[in-house]
Amino acid sequence: MMAHKKRVGMEVSIAVSHAVQLARAEAIAAYPITPQTHIVEHLSSLVANGDLEAEFVTVESEHSAMSACIGMSAAGVRTYTATSSQGLALMNEIVFITSAMRLPIVMTVANRALSGPLSIWNDHSDIMAARDIGWIQIFTENGQEAFDHSIMAFKIAEDHRVLLPTIVNLDGFILTHVVEAHEMMDQKTVDRFLPEFKPYHKLDPQKPVTMGAFAMPELFTECKMAHQMALTNSYGPILEVWQEWGKLTGRHYQPVETYRTEGAKVIIMMMGSLGQVAEVAVDAMRDQGIPVGLVKIRLWRPFPFADLRAALAGAEIVVVCDRALSLGGAAGPVLAEVRSAMYPLAVKPQILGYTVGLGGRDVQPEAFEELVRHAQAEVKQGPSQEYYIYGVRG
Amino acid sequence: MSKAWDQVTWQEIEVGGVLTEPGSARNYNTGDWRSSRPVWDKTRCIKCGICWTVCPEAGISEDADGYFEMNTYCKGCGICVKECVTGCIEMVVEES
Amino acid sequence: MIEIRFHGRGGQGAVTSVELLALAAIEEGKYAQGFPSFGPERRGAPVLAFSRVDDKPIKLRCKIVKPDVVVVLDASLLAIQKPANDLKEGGIIILNTNKSAAEIRQEYGYTHTLALVDANKVAREVLGVPIVNTTMIGALLRATGVVQVETMEPPLKERFGPLAVKNFNALKVAYEQTTIEERRS
């Protein structure tokens, strides 16, 4: 039977904090930063009002937030935090340790540009600077997805076959500050879906262990390989959790999602909330008879190579939209990943990269129509650039 | 970990690099680092235990009679010699 | 889908308006978005707030650049923001003013449908303060019927608590007093 179907209006940030409440997070340490603020403010109220039985540790920085989270998770409790932009950058030193210690902390990242120039607005430069931190990284397109994945992330992270911290990305402001409709879950259903956290190792005076030990050169490579394999092998359990959620709610999620790709010669790609805007553009182009489809990456780490190759099979041109820039490099991070995934194939599409929507630049559906026309012209004459920055003046 | 470090495979790494055996540092005999050793003259030792107290590495043990001697963790730093009240400890070069 | 853009000044409650409207529309079983023109809020500075309402899930995640309706909380913004410039053909301008439709048309050259109410007066008389955001929702509902007047009551209660009654009354008074003049070709 489908769970509770009534849609409830609320700000997406509030929906995310309710998801964390429903997941019965036991420990939270966070520092407020725009545009993540409403999430942790609301969680703080829930804890203060006794609506969520959790320890809320107020800290003086994100560096301390993640450090406190490591301690709390190591002590064996379900641990959550949220951050954004500079906050994630300040955490950077610690987030690698979190994943190497295999602590299943869940973190929401309200994606925002990294300074400078100072910008509080959305792009993906924060998470791309943390791309290689060894966490599971999931992207969401709307409030419902942010809510759903915030609950599912705990189940994935805490699975003893996984034991990896997990980030749920949602676009800052574009999602966090929008009041929209959500199908909520009741506590009973979530409790059945998400059992109590059972730590694999924990700090226990009765059974002492050493966590966070150093590794000599003779062991370091083996430790990294073990981490790499854990992240790669988390793919199966991630899918299991998403399938179970699909059965429970009727909302199905895939590592790579496609929209109207049947017979598509041109495929547009991206991650995050732009995906929905692009669907509108694809509908418009299909109406004009242009064979365009959409491929969206939901699971960024571990990267779903096989799913991507299957999704792009048959495409002649792939237009990859990045909401970040790899300064001094040849491309945006998604473009680099897609090109590298497709390179070994004997038959591969032309892959063009566009950086769009930096630092809160509004992206209207017409932008995708422009990109498709531009890409088609470039392929015809031979691409003039390694990649393009859409809408840049001058 | 009973296996030598450079023999351990990635599959054998414990989840999160956790060391599950408490006090496993005990297996690491830092006494290998020693080039000279403290030797007690029991005729002058008053069993005060200052040497045991000041040793930074738990490298000194008390024997059944209440006298002190170095163990396999003594790195030969010589702090005990410097601090001994009666001057009954002497550093002796390992080879001799 | 109807796309509504609120024009106001920081502190006038444009963002609250779109949020309340979204909550009411969702309560009616519709899909809706309410969101601000994201940025640091500055009291008095011209701001935009956006509202989309539809019977099916809304995919657009961008600003509203071709609205069906503009709601202008403060007539002094007409000259600054030029809210009607990108209004859809057949769109509606909803304006807080004590002027007549003829005067507004003469002053700004508008040909769109106008819905006018002296929200300042209503707010002063009913609320006791010149904050017109909830009052102007009354004018919006009169001109568009985007949600039922009654559906606005629960979100107002949730947001304003004991002050909700006055706000709901101001909304209803504005609903009654709004005059609508169809577009001129």
Side-chain angles (χ1 to χ4, degrees), chain A residues 7 121 179-180 279 364, chain C residues 29 31 34 38 59 61 63:
Chain A
R7 294 188 297 272
W121 292 274
V179 170
E180 63 181 52
E279 284 185 14
Q364 295 280 329
Chain C
Y31 291 87
F38 314 120
K59 293 175 173 182
R61 297 271 164 199
K63 292 178 188 173

Side-chain angles (χ1 to χ4, degrees), chain C residues 89-162:
Chain C
E89 184 73 20
I92 308 172
I93 301 171
I94 300 172
L95 186 56
N96 168 19
T97 181
N98 56 12
K99 291 179 181 166
S100 70
E103 285 172 298
I104 293 291
R105 288 196 194 283
Q106 194 183 4
E107 205 169 327
Y108 298 98
Y110 293 153
T111 55
H112 298 90
T113 297
L114 294 178
L116 308 181
V117 65
D118 189 350
N120 287 344
K121 183 162 168 280
V122 174
R124 263 199 311 272
E125 285 174 5
V126 183
L127 285 175
V129 286
I131 298 173
V132 298
N133 59 337
T134 48
T135 311
M136 286 300 285
I137 292 176
L140 171 70
L141 300 194
R142 178 67 179 277
T144 63
V146 62
V147 298
Q148 301 295 312
V149 171
E150 295 71 38
T151 339
M152 287 306 304
E153 200 177 1
L156 282 168
K157 273 191 179 152
E158 175 78 22
R159 178 65 66 103
F160 293 111

